Amino acid sequence: MIKAGIIGSTGYAGVELFRILLRHPGVEKIYQSSVSFEGQQIESVYQNLIGQLGDKSDGKLLTADEVVEKTDIIFTALPHGIAEQYADRCVKEGKKLIDLSADFRYGMDEETFKKWYKAEWKFPEVHKESVYGSPEMNREEIKKARVIGNPGCYVTSATLGLLPALKKGLITSGPVIVDSKSGVTGSGRNPTMSNQFCECGESFSAYKVGNHRHQSEIVRNCSILAGKDMDIIFTPHLLPQNRGILTTIYAPLTEEAQKSLGESAAAGGRSLVQEIHKIYEEAYKDEPFVRVLPEGVSPTTRVVRYTNYCDIQVYVVDGGRMLEIVSSLDNMIKGAAGQAVQNMNLMYGFDEKTSIDFVPTAF
């Protein structure tokens, strides 16, 4: 049994973490902090938690220092640039940390972090301890890690959509177009002009075109998986719904892949898209939270809401020259809190699905 702490527990990702950890049989106690609501009860901030805490939490929102003192593993659900100090302390005190911000998503590449986040690392040594927290990419490394950089939500949908094609060398270096749409929770709980109801309701818009910070993370992941520099064009959009991400990816197939896969498909009495679908099924057959959908079934945000699943479908378009991939996930679960708990499960030897094995709803 472990004691878990959440620093930043009243943001959307933080409260989802709290909700998931309440049902985790390996978590004995949960301690939580909030700068905005310090000293208050978490149930007074989120009424859905009334009567749900049981023996795992008294609900009081503590200081961040108190949370670190009382726990074995800390989740930091904070703006970028803050988690480093807690990670450094955790490593020195023999504790573990999973960060949901961008601080530990770039390995030892501080220059890329500085370019996109306009900040320098204050504790560079602790980054040597960090592992990028995508189980589908780094499962074995996560098991041994003391610090985890939890992936971005857009990034998870794009990376999982492209992973099999990149590892098999099916696509060119690009440009690969990643077109993503997210629910409003992706912009956080603090009110802004763009996430007010009257601004985003009954509307659909692109934002931060060409300069969204997740582009750098997508490029990094894709380049690592492909073993070469990848050219990614990423455009995020805001959907008038609370949660969910739908990503459509357009990736040019290499001439060699077109030829070899076409010949293999013909020999097996299959189409080119069926051949690629088979590759995706094989790549994800042992992954508990990636579902390659049956042919003809399109991913939707509705059926992955409140789950840790990422649904994927593949298509071949443009006369057989272009691979089109559609993926969907819940940005608050597989895109944030659920994936963080999946990482915790790996770090502590729990069954990977523990407390995040939600059955999808029908509507």
Side-chain angles (χ1 to χ4, degrees):
M1 298 287 282
I2 59 174
K3 297 176 182 178
I6 306 168
I7 299 177
S9 63
T10 54
Y12 289 141
V15 76
E16 282 288 66
L17 272 168
F18 187 74
R19 184 176 71 89
I20 292 170
L21 292 174
L22 281 173
R23 68 194 300 267
H24 199 296
V27 174
E28 177 185 4
K29 291 288 184 182
I30 309 167
Y31 299 93
Q32 56 282 332
S33 75
S34 170
V35 172
S36 301
F37 300 96
E38 185 179 309
Q40 299 183 38
Q41 294 296 120
I42 195 167
E43 310 99 296
S44 69
V45 184
Y46 286 101
Q47 294 180 18
N48 61 303
L49 296 173
I50 293 174
Q52 303 300 312
L53 306 191
D55 296 329
K56 289 195 176 183
S57 173
D58 63 7
K60 186 176 181 180
L61 293 164
L62 309 171
T63 67
D65 284 341
E66 288 175 314
V67 168
V68 176
E69 287 170 7
K70 293 174 180 288
T71 55
D72 305 304
I73 182 168
I74 293 89
F75 296 88
T76 43
L78 302 164
H80 71 271
I82 304 175
E84 273 188 301
Q85 60 183 305
Y86 299 112
D88 184 68
R89 178 177 170 184
C90 285
V91 167
K92 290 174 179 176
E93 295 181 8
K95 301 172 186 280
K96 298 179 181 182
L97 180 139
I98 298 174
D99 177 40
L100 277 73
S101 80
D103 288 10
F104 295 98
R105 292 175 182 168
Y106 294 90
M108 292 302 295
D109 185 2
E110 183 180 3
E111 288 306 310
T112 299
F113 178 79
K114 285 169 62 176
K115 175 183 175 182
W116 287 88
Y117 288 87
K118 313 303 180 189
E120 295 185 354
W121 291 346
K122 299 181 180 68
F123 299 86
E125 286 299 307
V126 78
H127 289 266
K128 296 176 182 178
E129 297 281 349
S130 69
V131 170
Y132 187 71
S134 170
E136 295 78 13
M137 286 180 66
N138 297 324
R139 181 169 281 104
E140 294 308 311
E141 292 84 354
I142 290 167
K143 291 177 181 179
K144 299 175 286 187
R146 292 198 285 179
V147 177
I148 293 289
N150 215 55
C153 52
Y154 280 128
V155 183
T156 299
S157 68
T159 300
L160 295 180
L162 283 162
L163 185 150
L166 289 167
K167 293 186 79 170
K168 284 286 187 179
L170 303 185
I171 59 179
T172 71
S173 58
V176 173
I177 297 172
V178 178
D179 184 287
S180 293
K181 295 92 175 170
S182 173
V184 184
T185 49
S187 63
R189 191 165 189 243
N190 289 331
T192 66
M193 181 66 73
S194 62
N195 66 18
Q196 291 185 58
F197 177 79
C198 290
E199 298 292 333
C200 64
E202 300 183 44
S203 182
F204 175 51
S205 60
Y207 68 100
K208 295 184 180 178
V209 177
N211 64 359
H212 193 285
R213 289 164 168 169
H214 281 188
Q215 175 156 333
S216 61
E217 193 181 338
I218 297 171
V219 170
R220 176 179 172 80
N221 286 358
C222 290
S223 298
I224 290 171
L225 290 167
K228 60 184 178 183
D229 290 339
M230 293 295 296
D231 182 10
I232 306 292
I233 299 172
F234 170 59
T235 304
H237 301 75
L238 191 65
L239 288 173
Q241 62 186 50
N242 286 346
R243 57 204 300 158
I245 286 178
L246 186 77
T247 293
T248 305
I249 303 164
Y250 306 90
L253 289 165
T254 66
E255 291 184 5
E256 181 181 352
Q258 294 176 51
K259 183 174 184 294
S260 62
L261 291 177
E263 291 173 351
S264 176
R270 296 182 294 271
S271 67
L272 178 56
V273 69
Q274 287 174 325
E275 192 71 12
I276 295 175
H277 192 274
K278 180 182 172 185
I279 290 171
Y280 269 68
E281 286 184 319
E282 180 65 23
Y284 285 127
K285 66 180 181 179
D286 296 322
E287 289 297 340
F289 294 113
V290 182
R291 303 191 299 185
V292 180
L293 301 181
E295 292 178 51
V297 179
S298 297
T300 73
T301 59
R302 175 174 56 83
V303 299
V304 293
R305 280 164 55 96
Y306 305 104
T307 80
N308 202 52
Y309 285 112
C310 176
D311 284 355
I312 296 173
Q313 187 57 278
V314 295
Y315 307 87
V316 175
V317 297
D318 192 31
R321 293 184 292 270
M322 185 77 72
L323 175 62
E324 184 174 343
I325 309 151
V326 181
S327 67
S328 64
L329 53 77
D330 186 317
N331 58 301
M332 288 288 106
I333 307 294
K334 183 59 173 171
Q339 187 155 230
V341 173
Q342 187 178 355
N343 285 321
M344 183 194 79
N345 288 339
L346 290 169
M347 295 167 82
Y348 282 94
F350 299 123
D351 185 296
E352 193 168 335
K353 297 178 288 185
T354 303
S355 85
I356 47 176
D357 53 348
F358 303 104
V359 176
T361 59
F363 50 86

